[in-house]
């Protein structure tokens, strides 16, 4: 190892012992390490390894300038000594000599492109020199190099097979050993996300981006996390950064389109999809996404054509088939049914990434066979799709019933009567609550046709506020829901109400004074809404329980609604909903306005007048002519509300009556007494 010592065994042993001591002392006692190095240099003054240890010890002892002069000479003599180049780069970076650090790192990365840390340090130093695009490319090269790191590959493999605790432990050990490793940090963020800790995931990925701002994959993941948290403006800011990446990627455009859709800018999203399809016309996912946007914009014929192009390029594209069926006004014919059955035969339920195509195809076949009047076979496919989907989600009906009962007890008449005035006084929001498929989109379309009301979409903000309050109970800050709610002061309630108004402003695109939040699940938070937004209006859209529940069970929802994939679950959910709304009616009479779907269908104008009276608005004929409103509609009823009201759907549940015993049993007297409450 040390050429000058090879002729003398004793000297060689002494050198090796000193070498071991010096390297062991570098981090904990650099002065002692420096002494050992200089003792070795007495025996082997030209040995490059010992000279490197001396320079390392000098830097760690605070003599960076001296270390630099030695490293310059060493690198000049040993230009392929990678440790010396790395030490020179680190020392130069510490002293602020970014130009010298960049020169060393450029040499190092040319010779050793698989060393990711070299690329990341090079990127940081290039940024100090305002060489932004080169820095970005260096970060990307570092990420590329990390893709071959055996340790990181082990972490990713454990994560991908669901061994999340093992993956987290390995990632933590890696970060402890190499703190400035953005790829390991991003992996830790994804592990946290898969473990359900969205906040920790976001913080961790943000840390990775501070380390490597040019880490495009981490920024892409950041956007997706922000979308989950409905932080749309922040998501768009990161999308704008990705658009400046020196390495163009169509995925960045797709991500931009996703954010634009969430922001309600469907026209710009449509333009992006069309531009991508000009470049690659056989991309089934982009055709499907374009179909979604066209459907939302009311361009039904074009949406149908887009979905059909998607399944032409990928016949087993289950979501595209379901999207066709889900237009409600489209009837899939015998050739479509044959194509879907052939696609089903190519899929394996045991393969995880084929399950989504499978259940979507079952739902689509259920709808196609329902339209054909083959109800037994239709039910069989709906049942298979629901059973498969139920295995992929979590819903505990018993726990949910317990939570609903606790909410009803918390917001009783005594509590509401003793409540001090407070909350945000803004009258802007109109909440439409209830179950999905209850006629809520019809109510929304009617109201959004009024000159004073803007339709937005199903907004998650109230559920996010409620979830944050619930976490205070889960974390042990409060023993139960009632105690937590009672702890909110008038100022607390005002802040929460103002937060809701602020966070929903991004969805408002007009200057109309009122807007609609059509998140159906907000029925669970009626009491909270009354506390923090006392001047908001709440409309409960209700439909016959057998019609509503069966329609929900036949519907695959893009997200949420985990109760809807089992007839017993959905029946119990409807029963809980009726019970809680009845409790609110008793505790705060008149606070909630109820729209019975069947009444709206049979006597539309009278029900609309009654609804507008509750809102304190004048009657407008445009509300009766709601089907002429071309606003974007994002729910499953998007095409139905672009037609006049029809009565055919009122008793469709009877086609499936032979198989509805579990639903009837779960509903109990709620079905028998409708629209009255048991």
């Amino acid at each position: 190892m040390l050429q000058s010592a090879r002729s003398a065994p004793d000297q060689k042993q002494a050198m090796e012992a000193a070498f071991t001591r010096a390297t062991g002392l570098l981090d904990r006692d650099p002065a002692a390490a420096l002494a050992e190095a200089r003792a070795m240099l007495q025996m082997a003054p030209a040995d490059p390894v010992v000279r490197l240890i001396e320079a390392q010890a000098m830097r760690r002892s605070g003599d960076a300038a001296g270390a630099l002069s030695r490293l310059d000479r060493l690198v000049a003599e040993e230009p392929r000594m990678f440790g010396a180049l790395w030490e020179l780069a680190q020392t130069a970076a510490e002293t602020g000599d970014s130009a010298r650090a960049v020169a060393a790192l450029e040499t190092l990365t040319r010779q050793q492109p698989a060393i990711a840390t070299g690329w990341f340090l090079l990127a940081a130093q290039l940024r100090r020199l305002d060489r932004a695009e080169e820095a970005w490319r260096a970060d990307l090269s570092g990420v590329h190099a990390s893709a071959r790191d055996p340790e990181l590959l082990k972490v990713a493999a454990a994560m991908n097979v669901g061994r999340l605790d093992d993956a987290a432990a390995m990632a933590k050990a890696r970060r402890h050993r190499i703190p400035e490793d953005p790829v390991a940090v991003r992996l830790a963020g994804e592990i946290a996300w898969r473990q359900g800790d969205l906040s920790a995931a976001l913080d961790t990925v943000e840390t990775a981006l501070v380390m490597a701002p040019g880490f495009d994959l981490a920024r892409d993941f950041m956007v997706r996390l922000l979308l989950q948290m409905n932080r749309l403006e922040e998501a768009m800011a990161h999308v704008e950064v990705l658009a400046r990446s020196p390495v163009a990627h169509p995925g960045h455009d797709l991500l931009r389109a996703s954010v634009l859709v969430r922001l309600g800018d469907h026209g710009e999203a449509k333009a992006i999809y069309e531009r991508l399809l000009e470049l690659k016309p056989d991309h089934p996912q982009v055709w499907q996404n374009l179909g979604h946007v066209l459907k939302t914009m009311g361009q039904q014929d074009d949406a149908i054509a887009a979905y059909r192009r998607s399944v032409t390029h990928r016949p087993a594209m289950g979501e595209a088939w379901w999207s066709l069926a889900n237009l409600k006004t489209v009837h899939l014919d015998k050739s479509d049914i044959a194509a879907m059955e052939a696609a089903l035969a190519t899929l394996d339920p045991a393969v995880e990434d084929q399950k989504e195509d499978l259940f979507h195809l079952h739902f689509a076949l259920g709808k196609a066979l329902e339209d054909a009047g083959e109800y037994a076979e239709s039910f069989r496919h709906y049942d298979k799709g629901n059973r498969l989907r139920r295995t992929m989600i979590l819903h505990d009906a018993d726990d949910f019933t317990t939570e609903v009962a606790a909410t009803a007890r918390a917001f009783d008449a005594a509590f509401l009567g003793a409540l001090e005035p407070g909350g945000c006084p803004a009258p802007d929001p109109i909440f439409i609550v209830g179950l999905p498929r209850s006629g809520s989109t019809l109510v929304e379309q009617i109201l959004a046709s009024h000159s004073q009301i803007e339709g937005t979409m199903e907004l998650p903000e109230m559920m996010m506020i409620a979830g944050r309050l619930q976490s205070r109970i889960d974390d042990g800050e409060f023993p139960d829901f009632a105690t937590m709610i009672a702890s909110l002061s008038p100022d607390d309630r005002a802040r929460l109400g103002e937060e809701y108004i602020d966070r929903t402003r991004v969805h408002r695109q007009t200057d109309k004074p009122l807007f609609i939040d059509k998140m159906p699940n907000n029925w669970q938070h009626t009491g909270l809404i009354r506390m923090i937004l006392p001047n908001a209006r709440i409309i409960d859209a209700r439909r016959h329980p057998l019609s509503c529940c069966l329609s929900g069970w036949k519907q695959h929802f893009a997200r949420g609604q985990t109760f809807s994939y089992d007839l017993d679950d959905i029946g119990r959910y409807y029963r809980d909903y009726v019970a809680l709304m009845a409790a609110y009616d008793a505790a705060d009479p008149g606070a909630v306005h109820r729209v019975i779907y069947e009444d709206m269908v049979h006597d539309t104008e009278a029900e609309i007048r009654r609804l507008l009276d509750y809102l304190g608005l004048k009657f407008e004929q445009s509300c009766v002519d709601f089907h002429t409103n071309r606003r974007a509609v994002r729910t499953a009823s998007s095409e139905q509300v672009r037609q006049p009201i029809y009565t055919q759907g009122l008793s469709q549940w009877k086609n499936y009556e032979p198989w509805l015993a579990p639903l009837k049993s779960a509903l109990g007297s709620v079905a028998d007494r409708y629209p009255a409450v048991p």
Side-chain angles (χ1 to χ4, degrees), residues 332-363:
L332 300 176
D333 60 23
K334 289 182 179 179
S335 64
D336 293 322
I337 292 171
M340 287 188 284
E341 287 174 338
L344 268 182
T346 68
L347 300 174
D348 182 353
V351 178
E352 195 66 31
D353 61 4
Q354 294 184 11
K355 287 183 177 180
E356 287 209 10
D357 285 324
L358 269 169
F359 69 67
H360 277 120
L361 280 165
H362 280 302
F363 276 100

mmCIF file of all heavy atoms in Angstrom, residues 332-363:
data_model
loop_
_atom_site.group_PDB
_atom_site.id
_atom_site.type_symbol
_atom_site.label_atom_id
_atom_site.label_comp_id
_atom_site.label_asym_id
_atom_site.label_seq_id
_atom_site.Cartn_x
_atom_site.Cartn_y
_atom_site.Cartn_z
ATOM 1 N N LEU A 332 -73.838 1.280 -24.773
ATOM 2 C CA LEU A 332 -72.834 0.422 -25.396
ATOM 3 C C LEU A 332 -73.540 -0.768 -26.043
ATOM 4 O O LEU A 332 -74.387 -1.413 -25.423
ATOM 5 C CB LEU A 332 -71.825 -0.038 -24.353
ATOM 6 C CG LEU A 332 -71.051 1.104 -23.661
ATOM 7 C CD1 LEU A 332 -70.148 0.558 -22.566
ATOM 8 C CD2 LEU A 332 -70.229 1.895 -24.657
ATOM 9 N N ASP A 333 -73.167 -1.088 -27.291
ATOM 10 C CA ASP A 333 -73.896 -2.115 -28.037
ATOM 11 C C ASP A 333 -73.238 -3.485 -27.891
ATOM 12 O O ASP A 333 -72.281 -3.663 -27.122
ATOM 13 C CB ASP A 333 -74.023 -1.713 -29.506
ATOM 14 C CG ASP A 333 -72.655 -1.523 -30.170
ATOM 15 O OD1 ASP A 333 -71.654 -2.094 -29.684
ATOM 16 O OD2 ASP A 333 -72.595 -0.805 -31.193
ATOM 17 N N LYS A 334 -73.749 -4.453 -28.667
ATOM 18 C CA LYS A 334 -73.268 -5.833 -28.551
ATOM 19 C C LYS A 334 -71.786 -5.950 -28.881
ATOM 20 O O LYS A 334 -71.051 -6.727 -28.255
ATOM 21 C CB LYS A 334 -74.089 -6.742 -29.468
ATOM 22 C CG LYS A 334 -75.517 -6.965 -28.994
ATOM 23 C CD LYS A 334 -76.263 -7.911 -29.920
ATOM 24 C CE LYS A 334 -77.698 -8.143 -29.419
ATOM 25 N NZ LYS A 334 -78.446 -9.060 -30.328
ATOM 26 N N SER A 335 -71.336 -5.196 -29.881
ATOM 27 C CA SER A 335 -69.908 -5.272 -30.227
ATOM 28 C C SER A 335 -69.049 -4.708 -29.095
ATOM 29 O O SER A 335 -67.949 -5.219 -28.826
ATOM 30 C CB SER A 335 -69.640 -4.507 -31.525
ATOM 31 O OG SER A 335 -69.919 -3.122 -31.372
ATOM 32 N N ASP A 336 -69.533 -3.672 -28.398
ATOM 33 C CA ASP A 336 -68.807 -3.136 -27.242
ATOM 34 C C ASP A 336 -68.748 -4.167 -26.120
ATOM 35 O O ASP A 336 -67.703 -4.352 -25.482
ATOM 36 C CB ASP A 336 -69.483 -1.864 -26.736
ATOM 37 C CG ASP A 336 -69.388 -0.709 -27.712
ATOM 38 O OD1 ASP A 336 -68.334 -0.560 -28.348
ATOM 39 O OD2 ASP A 336 -70.373 0.045 -27.824
ATOM 40 N N ILE A 337 -69.877 -4.812 -25.875
ATOM 41 C CA ILE A 337 -69.921 -5.836 -24.822
ATOM 42 C C ILE A 337 -68.937 -6.953 -25.144
ATOM 43 O O ILE A 337 -68.178 -7.411 -24.271
ATOM 44 C CB ILE A 337 -71.356 -6.367 -24.653
ATOM 45 C CG1 ILE A 337 -72.250 -5.267 -24.070
ATOM 46 C CG2 ILE A 337 -71.374 -7.604 -23.761
ATOM 47 C CD1 ILE A 337 -73.726 -5.609 -24.062
ATOM 48 N N ALA A 338 -68.917 -7.382 -26.418
ATOM 49 C CA ALA A 338 -67.985 -8.440 -26.815
ATOM 50 C C ALA A 338 -66.536 -7.989 -26.639
ATOM 51 O O ALA A 338 -65.674 -8.759 -26.179
ATOM 52 C CB ALA A 338 -68.249 -8.832 -28.271
ATOM 53 N N ALA A 339 -66.248 -6.729 -26.970
ATOM 54 C CA ALA A 339 -64.883 -6.210 -26.832
ATOM 55 C C ALA A 339 -64.466 -6.161 -25.364
ATOM 56 O O ALA A 339 -63.328 -6.504 -25.012
ATOM 57 C CB ALA A 339 -64.790 -4.827 -27.461
ATOM 58 N N MET A 340 -65.384 -5.748 -24.489
ATOM 59 C CA MET A 340 -65.054 -5.687 -23.057
ATOM 60 C C MET A 340 -64.870 -7.081 -22.473
ATOM 61 O O MET A 340 -63.977 -7.317 -21.649
ATOM 62 C CB MET A 340 -66.142 -4.921 -22.308
ATOM 63 C CG MET A 340 -66.102 -3.421 -22.565
ATOM 64 S SD MET A 340 -67.240 -2.494 -21.500
ATOM 65 C CE MET A 340 -68.810 -2.839 -22.265
ATOM 66 N N GLU A 341 -65.711 -8.031 -22.890
ATOM 67 C CA GLU A 341 -65.556 -9.401 -22.394
ATOM 68 C C GLU A 341 -64.231 -9.999 -22.862
ATOM 69 O O GLU A 341 -63.561 -10.720 -22.111
ATOM 70 C CB GLU A 341 -66.739 -10.250 -22.857
ATOM 71 C CG GLU A 341 -68.033 -9.907 -22.106
ATOM 72 C CD GLU A 341 -69.247 -10.642 -22.649
ATOM 73 O OE1 GLU A 341 -69.199 -11.081 -23.825
ATOM 74 O OE2 GLU A 341 -70.249 -10.749 -21.918
ATOM 75 N N ALA A 342 -63.831 -9.683 -24.107
ATOM 76 C CA ALA A 342 -62.535 -10.152 -24.598
ATOM 77 C C ALA A 342 -61.395 -9.515 -23.800
ATOM 78 O O ALA A 342 -60.395 -10.177 -23.479
ATOM 79 C CB ALA A 342 -62.396 -9.819 -26.086
ATOM 80 N N ALA A 343 -61.544 -8.230 -23.473
ATOM 81 C CA ALA A 343 -60.521 -7.551 -22.671
ATOM 82 C C ALA A 343 -60.419 -8.162 -21.281
ATOM 83 O O ALA A 343 -59.317 -8.349 -20.754
ATOM 84 C CB ALA A 343 -60.839 -6.059 -22.578
ATOM 85 N N LEU A 344 -61.569 -8.479 -20.683
ATOM 86 C CA LEU A 344 -61.565 -9.116 -19.365
ATOM 87 C C LEU A 344 -60.754 -10.398 -19.365
ATOM 88 O O LEU A 344 -60.037 -10.710 -18.413
ATOM 89 C CB LEU A 344 -62.998 -9.443 -18.925
ATOM 90 C CG LEU A 344 -63.775 -8.429 -18.105
ATOM 91 C CD1 LEU A 344 -65.141 -8.992 -17.755
ATOM 92 C CD2 LEU A 344 -63.026 -8.047 -16.837
ATOM 93 N N ALA A 345 -60.877 -11.158 -20.450
ATOM 94 C CA ALA A 345 -60.202 -12.459 -20.530
ATOM 95 C C ALA A 345 -58.686 -12.317 -20.557
ATOM 96 O O ALA A 345 -57.961 -13.283 -20.276
ATOM 97 C CB ALA A 345 -60.678 -13.203 -21.777
ATOM 98 N N THR A 346 -58.189 -11.125 -20.871
ATOM 99 C CA THR A 346 -56.738 -10.920 -20.921
ATOM 100 C C THR A 346 -56.159 -10.495 -19.575
ATOM 101 O O THR A 346 -54.944 -10.382 -19.440
ATOM 102 C CB THR A 346 -56.380 -9.834 -21.961
ATOM 103 O OG1 THR A 346 -56.848 -8.554 -21.499
ATOM 104 C CG2 THR A 346 -56.995 -10.150 -23.317
ATOM 105 N N LEU A 347 -57.024 -10.238 -18.593
ATOM 106 C CA LEU A 347 -56.572 -9.696 -17.311
ATOM 107 C C LEU A 347 -56.592 -10.755 -16.224
ATOM 108 O O LEU A 347 -57.433 -11.668 -16.240
ATOM 109 C CB LEU A 347 -57.445 -8.509 -16.903
ATOM 110 C CG LEU A 347 -57.460 -7.328 -17.889
ATOM 111 C CD1 LEU A 347 -58.483 -6.287 -17.445
ATOM 112 C CD2 LEU A 347 -56.083 -6.694 -17.993
ATOM 113 N N ASP A 348 -55.690 -10.607 -15.270
ATOM 114 C CA ASP A 348 -55.548 -11.578 -14.177
ATOM 115 C C ASP A 348 -55.794 -10.864 -12.845
ATOM 116 O O ASP A 348 -55.035 -9.951 -12.481
ATOM 117 C CB ASP A 348 -54.138 -12.175 -14.207
ATOM 118 C CG ASP A 348 -53.932 -13.238 -13.139
ATOM 119 O OD1 ASP A 348 -54.818 -13.429 -12.280
ATOM 120 O OD2 ASP A 348 -52.871 -13.882 -13.162
ATOM 121 N N PRO A 349 -56.816 -11.268 -12.083
ATOM 122 C CA PRO A 349 -57.101 -10.605 -10.796
ATOM 123 C C PRO A 349 -55.951 -10.691 -9.802
ATOM 124 O O PRO A 349 -55.874 -9.895 -8.863
ATOM 125 C CB PRO A 349 -58.326 -11.362 -10.267
ATOM 126 C CG PRO A 349 -58.896 -12.067 -11.452
ATOM 127 C CD PRO A 349 -57.774 -12.339 -12.384
ATOM 128 N N ALA A 350 -55.044 -11.656 -9.999
ATOM 129 C CA ALA A 350 -53.925 -11.811 -9.068
ATOM 130 C C ALA A 350 -52.817 -10.800 -9.330
ATOM 131 O O ALA A 350 -51.932 -10.611 -8.490
ATOM 132 C CB ALA A 350 -53.354 -13.227 -9.164
ATOM 133 N N VAL A 351 -52.851 -10.161 -10.488
ATOM 134 C CA VAL A 351 -51.830 -9.161 -10.821
ATOM 135 C C VAL A 351 -52.313 -7.795 -10.331
ATOM 136 O O VAL A 351 -53.328 -7.284 -10.798
ATOM 137 C CB VAL A 351 -51.563 -9.124 -12.342
ATOM 138 C CG1 VAL A 351 -50.532 -8.052 -12.670
ATOM 139 C CG2 VAL A 351 -51.085 -10.494 -12.823
ATOM 140 N N GLU A 352 -51.575 -7.220 -9.403
ATOM 141 C CA GLU A 352 -52.043 -6.022 -8.702
ATOM 142 C C GLU A 352 -52.368 -4.877 -9.658
ATOM 143 O O GLU A 352 -53.403 -4.215 -9.515
ATOM 144 C CB GLU A 352 -50.986 -5.582 -7.686
ATOM 145 C CG GLU A 352 -51.474 -4.595 -6.655
ATOM 146 C CD GLU A 352 -52.527 -5.177 -5.721
ATOM 147 O OE1 GLU A 352 -52.473 -6.402 -5.451
ATOM 148 O OE2 GLU A 352 -53.406 -4.423 -5.280
ATOM 149 N N ASP A 353 -51.488 -4.622 -10.626
ATOM 150 C CA ASP A 353 -51.696 -3.446 -11.470
ATOM 151 C C ASP A 353 -52.729 -3.671 -12.568
ATOM 152 O O ASP A 353 -52.942 -2.809 -13.418
ATOM 153 C CB ASP A 353 -50.379 -2.954 -12.070
ATOM 154 C CG ASP A 353 -49.695 -3.983 -12.957
ATOM 155 O OD1 ASP A 353 -50.279 -5.061 -13.164
ATOM 156 O OD2 ASP A 353 -48.585 -3.704 -13.449
ATOM 157 N N GLN A 354 -53.396 -4.845 -12.562
ATOM 158 C CA GLN A 354 -54.493 -5.075 -13.501
ATOM 159 C C GLN A 354 -55.864 -4.956 -12.832
ATOM 160 O O GLN A 354 -56.893 -5.000 -13.507
ATOM 161 C CB GLN A 354 -54.352 -6.453 -14.153
ATOM 162 C CG GLN A 354 -53.134 -6.571 -15.055
ATOM 163 C CD GLN A 354 -53.053 -7.908 -15.774
ATOM 164 O OE1 GLN A 354 -53.998 -8.698 -15.778
ATOM 165 N NE2 GLN A 354 -51.907 -8.176 -16.384
ATOM 166 N N LYS A 355 -55.871 -4.786 -11.513
ATOM 167 C CA LYS A 355 -57.148 -4.770 -10.797
ATOM 168 C C LYS A 355 -58.021 -3.582 -11.180
ATOM 169 O O LYS A 355 -59.245 -3.714 -11.284
ATOM 170 C CB LYS A 355 -56.899 -4.770 -9.281
ATOM 171 C CG LYS A 355 -56.423 -6.112 -8.741
ATOM 172 C CD LYS A 355 -56.263 -6.085 -7.227
ATOM 173 C CE LYS A 355 -55.857 -7.447 -6.701
ATOM 174 N NZ LYS A 355 -55.690 -7.435 -5.226
ATOM 175 N N GLU A 356 -57.402 -2.431 -11.402
ATOM 176 C CA GLU A 356 -58.205 -1.254 -11.753
ATOM 177 C C GLU A 356 -58.901 -1.445 -13.095
ATOM 178 O O GLU A 356 -60.077 -1.101 -13.253
ATOM 179 C CB GLU A 356 -57.336 0.004 -11.766
ATOM 180 C CG GLU A 356 -56.952 0.465 -10.372
ATOM 181 C CD GLU A 356 -56.733 1.969 -10.288
ATOM 182 O OE1 GLU A 356 -57.064 2.672 -11.259
ATOM 183 O OE2 GLU A 356 -56.249 2.419 -9.243
ATOM 184 N N ASP A 357 -58.187 -1.984 -14.076
ATOM 185 C CA ASP A 357 -58.833 -2.268 -15.355
ATOM 186 C C ASP A 357 -59.957 -3.272 -15.173
ATOM 187 O O ASP A 357 -61.030 -3.142 -15.776
ATOM 188 C CB ASP A 357 -57.809 -2.811 -16.355
ATOM 189 C CG ASP A 357 -56.889 -1.725 -16.896
ATOM 190 O OD1 ASP A 357 -57.363 -0.594 -17.089
ATOM 191 O OD2 ASP A 357 -55.703 -2.006 -17.111
ATOM 192 N N LEU A 358 -59.736 -4.259 -14.320
ATOM 193 C CA LEU A 358 -60.749 -5.295 -14.098
ATOM 194 C C LEU A 358 -62.039 -4.717 -13.523
ATOM 195 O O LEU A 358 -63.124 -4.943 -14.068
ATOM 196 C CB LEU A 358 -60.204 -6.371 -13.146
ATOM 197 C CG LEU A 358 -59.492 -7.557 -13.782
ATOM 198 C CD1 LEU A 358 -58.790 -8.372 -12.713
ATOM 199 C CD2 LEU A 358 -60.488 -8.439 -14.529
ATOM 200 N N PHE A 359 -61.939 -3.995 -12.428
ATOM 201 C CA PHE A 359 -63.198 -3.540 -11.823
ATOM 202 C C PHE A 359 -63.878 -2.485 -12.693
ATOM 203 O O PHE A 359 -65.105 -2.436 -12.756
ATOM 204 C CB PHE A 359 -63.026 -3.097 -10.362
ATOM 205 C CG PHE A 359 -62.260 -1.841 -10.092
ATOM 206 C CD1 PHE A 359 -62.728 -0.603 -10.478
ATOM 207 C CD2 PHE A 359 -61.067 -1.884 -9.369
ATOM 208 C CE1 PHE A 359 -62.042 0.563 -10.184
ATOM 209 C CE2 PHE A 359 -60.366 -0.730 -9.080
ATOM 210 C CZ PHE A 359 -60.857 0.500 -9.498
ATOM 211 N N HIS A 360 -63.088 -1.656 -13.396
ATOM 212 C CA HIS A 360 -63.714 -0.706 -14.305
ATOM 213 C C HIS A 360 -64.478 -1.426 -15.418
ATOM 214 O O HIS A 360 -65.589 -1.020 -15.802
ATOM 215 C CB HIS A 360 -62.648 0.213 -14.925
ATOM 216 C CG HIS A 360 -62.274 1.378 -14.065
ATOM 217 N ND1 HIS A 360 -60.998 1.599 -13.599
ATOM 218 C CD2 HIS A 360 -63.019 2.400 -13.586
ATOM 219 C CE1 HIS A 360 -60.968 2.707 -12.882
ATOM 220 N NE2 HIS A 360 -62.186 3.211 -12.855
ATOM 221 N N LEU A 361 -63.902 -2.496 -15.944
ATOM 222 C CA LEU A 361 -64.579 -3.255 -16.996
ATOM 223 C C LEU A 361 -65.853 -3.896 -16.467
ATOM 224 O O LEU A 361 -66.880 -3.925 -17.162
ATOM 225 C CB LEU A 361 -63.634 -4.311 -17.573
ATOM 226 C CG LEU A 361 -62.622 -3.783 -18.599
ATOM 227 C CD1 LEU A 361 -61.512 -4.796 -18.819
ATOM 228 C CD2 LEU A 361 -63.317 -3.458 -19.912
ATOM 229 N N HIS A 362 -65.811 -4.409 -15.250
ATOM 230 C CA HIS A 362 -67.027 -5.007 -14.669
ATOM 231 C C HIS A 362 -68.123 -3.946 -14.502
ATOM 232 O O HIS A 362 -69.294 -4.201 -14.815
ATOM 233 C CB HIS A 362 -66.713 -5.658 -13.330
ATOM 234 C CG HIS A 362 -66.095 -7.017 -13.457
ATOM 235 N ND1 HIS A 362 -66.715 -8.042 -14.126
ATOM 236 C CD2 HIS A 362 -64.916 -7.517 -12.985
ATOM 237 C CE1 HIS A 362 -65.953 -9.128 -14.068
ATOM 238 N NE2 HIS A 362 -64.855 -8.839 -13.389
ATOM 239 N N PHE A 363 -67.758 -2.765 -14.022
ATOM 240 C CA PHE A 363 -68.757 -1.701 -13.891
ATOM 241 C C PHE A 363 -69.316 -1.309 -15.266
ATOM 242 O O PHE A 363 -70.527 -1.096 -15.425
ATOM 243 C CB PHE A 363 -68.152 -0.472 -13.203
ATOM 244 C CG PHE A 363 -68.151 -0.544 -11.697
ATOM 245 C CD1 PHE A 363 -67.007 -0.894 -10.991
ATOM 246 C CD2 PHE A 363 -69.298 -0.261 -10.974
ATOM 247 C CE1 PHE A 363 -67.003 -0.959 -9.603
ATOM 248 C CE2 PHE A 363 -69.311 -0.322 -9.584
ATOM 249 C CZ PHE A 363 -68.157 -0.676 -8.898
#
